[in-house]
Amino acid sequence: MQRTAERSSAPDERWRIRRTHDDLDRLGETESVFALSNGWLGWRGALDEGRPCDMPGSYLNGFHERRKLNYPEDGHGFPQLSDTVISAPNATLVRLWVDGEPLDVRTGTLHHHEQVLDLRAGVLERLTEWTSPGGHTVRIRSTRLVSLLRRRVGAVEWTVEALHGPVELRICADLLANERVEDRADDPRAAAVIDDPLVGEAQHLDGSAGVLVHRTEHSGQRVAVAVAHHPTAPDHVTSSADATEDRIRFSLTGVLQPGERVTLAKFAAYEWQPVDGSSPDDLADQVMTDALAARADGFAALRAEQRAALDAAWRTADVLLDGDDKLQVAIRFAMFHLIQAGRPDGDRTIPAKGLTGNGYDGHVLWDTEGYVLPVLTYVAPEVARSALRWRHAQLPQALERAAELRLTGATFPWRTIGGQECSGYWPAGTAGLHVNADIADAVLRYVAATGDDDLLAGPGLELLVATARLWAGFGHYTDDGRFHIVGVTGPDEYSALVDDNLFTNLMARRNLRGAADAAQRHPEAATRLGVDPAEVTAWRAAADAMTVPYDAKRGVHQQSAGFTEQPEWDFAGTSEDDYPLLLHFPYLELYRHQVVKQADLVLAMQRFPGEFAAEEKAANFAYYQARTVRDSSLSASPQGVLAAELGHLDLAYDLFTESVLQDLEDLGDKTGDGLHLASLGGAWLALVQGFGGMRDDRELLSFDPRLPDRIERLAFSLCWHGHRLLVTLTADDVRYELPDAPTGATVELWHHGERLRVSAGEPVTRPMPAVPDFGAEPPSPDGRRPQGR
């Protein structure tokens, strides 16, 4: 294939992600990066013509198929079934034949090719100029969107133009079910692949509109997808349509003269419901109504709606980072994908990959409450509320799971789609009980930031009580009166089945105290849940007696009891090709050594800054920095936050860079399976909690900022009790203001130990605090320090 290149200009490249023909060998990564979503419907950013393609994907939140898990030896409590995300019928396809030759960027002559994700407009644009093997040249433009306002709707506007001589064209706009997905069985983190997961139930064609209805064979779900087309073409171009069980095709055929063009607008609507309680005809009517309504309004109207919705979202979500344009666009990319990952309406949550790929089987993990909701609580609190209500809706399954494991209270699953535990038996996962405290922590943070007492009195209280009961029953007292939690796995997955994991213990303590406070704040609701004063007293007693392991000899806290006495890992003898360690060493070796996959105790210091003195933080950070290999994308962010707090600003900057570029540069070679939303959320935390110094463990927000030399200005917003607080950092000072607040509105906060009152129309400016000096940057394991910019 011959290639010539050109580059078009853009109004502001700091709002755009651009990929060209030079990136065609990064298809999977590009498809994930260019994925569009609205929290219900997600389309991967594959080419309109569907080939070449790394992984097709049209995902619906919660839509999955069920499969059996097989064990050489079964055991009590082993999950017998697992759920895997599957692709709904794909409505993005527009195939083109030029004089009988299919458009394929790998053949013919590619003069120009680029895809651009416009972060302000919320659309994916494509421009290609291509000469077929037969010598005829065409220009293809397309714009794709998934509507943030219309839950079921996605749309594509596609145009082809003849550039030189007459061109015979055939255009086929397809709605296609059961596309083939590549099996990635060489990596345990990849998804299971289920071939032909959809069983056709109905298809209906009415002129240029049609609908397909399918069901799954095992999970009991029914999905309907409608498409409605609007062509604009010369009179000599003819149209036709046909339907089969797995495909609806709308075709346009004719000869274009130079300068003539055909434009096809394609509007799709998606819905799924349980088979029980729905009918194929009713579901088909719902999606057809939405698709036809979108067509009646037109693509321009949908695009205007999208821009207006994003303008509103960006007022709070945008982060200004002056000094590095690459990182400026990267943090906007991160925030864009967090904005479109969830929905404020209904009870929906956010999987680890969002709706951008099938990695981790599309499961929800603790990443959501640990890394994503701490961001959305402050930039889109209504989306965080929806995710918490989803967890509450899964509480019955969590109570059943606890009973199955012979535990008290609720045990939320390590990995799930519909509420049941989906993780194949892995003791480290089953013992990852901190997910329960992560959920409680997300409730407490959300209520503190919003003042949403209605949620606290209802779903929030139920979640807090059920999870507190888990810890009260799972932990135990020893003769010295200390309360211990043994046999668990903390965030670090290179340590398993440990005693008194410090992160888990501190999270459980917050859970217990939070439940006690909420029960006393809402006594009638607590009584309905069977909570009595004796139980509240027991929760507080367990929290007060919680064990916090500490190694007095080495002067550091222990990640878990005895961790600092385990053998050291031979980092000098570990080659670069041995990472990630889990793919090259048995867990037996990892578990018994002092090697840390991802921040664990450091994450605890981020979550509980008031529990550690400054000198303790410095000693702990240095000790664990030397043992943490960051084989997880979850690690760089909390390490960056603590590095910034301790004044290691170059290291903090590089850790932030690693977190924010995780997917744009495919640092873990796994972006093709979907984006790492926790890493994207972690990038915001690294900026706001790291350089902004924001902490939310007190009644008021507190800030102790510091700015690296490589950032000239940093500005971010936070929603706090209904007001938008704008914080702007420069090398000299920090400015706090309420730009949208009504007259009389105020927010109180702490700045470097000083209590401030910020009022509408009255910004407050304070000098930038001095950077603390805790000595030289602590060393990282050989070859594992993050790369600098």
Side-chain angles (χ1 to χ4, degrees), residues 89-169:
N90 184 358
T92 67
L93 295 169
V94 182
R95 307 186 192 276
L96 172 67
W97 283 261
V98 177
D99 295 321
E101 297 282 352
L103 169 64
D104 191 320
V105 294
R106 299 166 297 183
T107 65
T109 302
L110 188 63
H111 303 282
H112 179 79
H113 173 75
E114 66 179 2
Q115 291 174 282
V116 178
L117 178 63
D118 188 325
L119 303 172
R120 297 197 78 170
V123 297
L124 175 62
E125 299 171 322
R126 182 260 186 96
L127 172 62
T128 300
E129 290 183 9
W130 177 77
T131 298
S132 71
H136 293 90
T137 305
V138 294
R139 177 185 293 132
I140 298 98
R141 294 181 184 272
S142 71
T143 304
R144 181 186 301 177
L145 66 83
V146 172
S147 174
L148 293 171
L149 296 181
R150 308 185 188 210
R151 178 175 66 88
R152 298 182 178 124
V153 172
V156 180
E157 186 176 66
W158 184 94
T159 298
V160 60
E161 178 183 359
L163 292 187
H164 303 306
V167 179
E168 181 181 348
L169 300 179

Side-chain angles (χ1 to χ4, degrees), residues 93-384:
L93 295 169
V94 182
R95 307 186 192 276
L96 172 67
W97 283 261
V98 177
D99 295 321
E101 297 282 352
L103 169 64
D104 191 320
V105 294
R106 299 166 297 183
T107 65
T109 302
L110 188 63
H111 303 282
H112 179 79
H113 173 75
E114 66 179 2
Q115 291 174 282
V116 178
L117 178 63
D118 188 325
L119 303 172
R120 297 197 78 170
V123 297
L124 175 62
E125 299 171 322
R126 182 260 186 96
L127 172 62
T128 300
E129 290 183 9
W130 177 77
T131 298
S132 71
H136 293 90
T137 305
V138 294
R139 177 185 293 132
I140 298 98
R141 294 181 184 272
S142 71
T143 304
R144 181 186 301 177
L145 66 83
V146 172
S147 174
L148 293 171
L149 296 181
R150 308 185 188 210
R151 178 175 66 88
R152 298 182 178 124
V153 172
V156 180
E157 186 176 66
W158 184 94
T159 298
V160 60
E161 178 183 359
L163 292 187
H164 303 306
V167 179
E168 181 181 348
L169 300 179
R170 182 181 178 220
I171 303 162
C172 294
D174 288 347
L175 171 64
L176 183 63
N178 287 319
E179 289 181 282
R180 295 295 177 184
V181 178
E182 180 183 351
D183 191 347
R184 305 170 190 263
D186 59 330
D187 192 317
R189 298 165 292 183
V193 172
I194 301 174
D195 294 328
D196 299 326
L198 299 179
V199 178
E201 286 195 313
Q203 65 272 346
H204 178 68
L205 190 62
D206 184 4
S208 60
V211 63
L212 293 179
V213 182
H214 289 78
R215 61 173 173 82
T216 59
E217 190 171 358
H218 304 292
S219 64
Q221 296 180 328
R222 174 174 286 124
V223 62
V225 186
V227 286
H229 302 89
H230 179 73
T232 303
D235 292 341
H236 53 268
V237 174
T238 61
S239 65
S240 62
D242 64 87
T244 64
E245 182 177 81
D246 280 350
R247 190 187 74 188
I248 288 177
R249 169 166 286 183
F250 178 74
S251 302
L252 296 167
T253 306
V255 176
L256 293 190
Q257 299 301 318
E260 288 188 325
R261 65 186 61 178
V262 173
T263 296
L264 179 64
K266 185 177 186 181
F267 305 88
Y270 288 73
E271 184 64 275
W272 78 262
Q273 292 178 0
V275 169
D276 296 338
S278 68
S279 75
D281 291 342
D282 289 345
L283 211 56
D285 288 344
Q286 291 178 36
V287 293
M288 184 61 79
T289 297
D290 279 3
L292 293 175
R295 183 174 70 175
D297 291 338
F299 191 86
L302 266 63
R303 183 163 184 162
E305 289 178 359
Q306 191 83 338
R307 177 57 186 262
L310 277 168
D311 283 347
W314 280 123
R315 275 195 287 273
T316 302
D318 191 22
V319 176
L320 295 178
L321 193 160
D322 291 342
D324 192 323
D325 284 350
K326 183 174 183 178
L327 297 188
Q328 171 66 89
V329 72
I331 189 59
R332 283 176 171 156
F333 168 81
M335 298 310 296
F336 174 79
H337 277 288
L338 293 176
I339 289 170
Q340 66 168 10
R343 292 200 63 77
D345 55 331
D347 299 337
R348 292 290 163 185
T349 193
I350 301 172
K353 297 287 188 178
L355 300 177
T356 68
N358 69 3
Y360 297 113
D361 285 296
H363 290 162
V364 180
L365 290 86
W366 74 284
D367 305 30
T368 301
E369 285 80 18
Y371 288 81
V372 177
L373 295 194
V375 181
L376 294 178
T377 290
Y378 293 110
V379 302
E382 65 282 357
V383 178

Side-chain angles (χ1 to χ4, degrees), residues 389-474:
R389 290 183 61 85
W390 180 85
R391 281 293 192 185
H392 175 256
Q394 315 310 317
L395 183 55
Q397 293 99 309
L399 294 169
E400 291 176 5
R401 178 64 172 164
E404 180 183 30
L405 296 176
R406 298 179 181 269
L407 301 176
T408 55
T411 303
F412 282 90
W414 184 243
R415 293 174 55 163
T416 189
I417 292 180
Q420 295 85 11
E421 178 63 76
C422 289
S423 177
Y425 180 67
W426 175 50
T430 305
L433 295 180
H434 69 82
V435 65
N436 299 278
D438 294 316
I439 294 167
D441 179 67
V443 170
L444 295 170
R445 179 183 296 105
Y446 167 81
V447 172
T450 63
D452 188 347
D453 205 49
D454 288 341
L455 183 124
L456 180 62
L461 181 63
E462 290 190 48
L463 289 169
L464 292 170
V465 167
T467 49
R469 284 171 170 164
L470 168 69
W471 302 117
F474 192 83

Side-chain angles (χ1 to χ4, degrees), residues 15-53:
W15 286 96
R16 297 162 75 86
I17 309 294
R18 186 184 301 272
R19 294 283 169 91
T20 70
H21 63 267
D22 292 329
D23 302 301
L24 288 174
D25 60 348
R26 305 161 67 190
L27 275 176
E29 174 192 339
T30 298
E31 290 164 6
S32 296
V33 166
F34 287 161
L36 297 174
S37 171
N38 62 12
W40 171 254
L41 165 64
W43 277 344
R44 278 174 64 81
L47 296 171
D48 306 294
E49 56 271 23
R51 63 174 67 92
C53 179

Side-chain angles (χ1 to χ4, degrees), residues 696-751:
D696 56 5
D697 62 324
R698 302 163 69 178
E699 182 180 355
L700 304 178
L701 288 177
S702 63
F703 297 87
D704 197 359
R706 61 280 324 260
L707 205 60
D709 293 338
R710 287 176 281 183
I711 298 180
E712 298 167 6
R713 179 179 62 146
L714 176 64
F716 55 86
S717 295
L718 301 135
C719 288
W720 183 256
H721 288 266
H723 300 307
R724 178 166 76 95
L725 174 67
L726 174 61
V727 183
T728 304
L729 284 65
T730 66
D732 298 324
D733 53 43
V734 185
R735 177 184 174 98
Y736 304 97
E737 56 190 308
L738 302 177
D740 308 321
T743 302
T746 63
V747 167
E748 292 190 63
L749 56 87
W750 291 95
H751 167 83

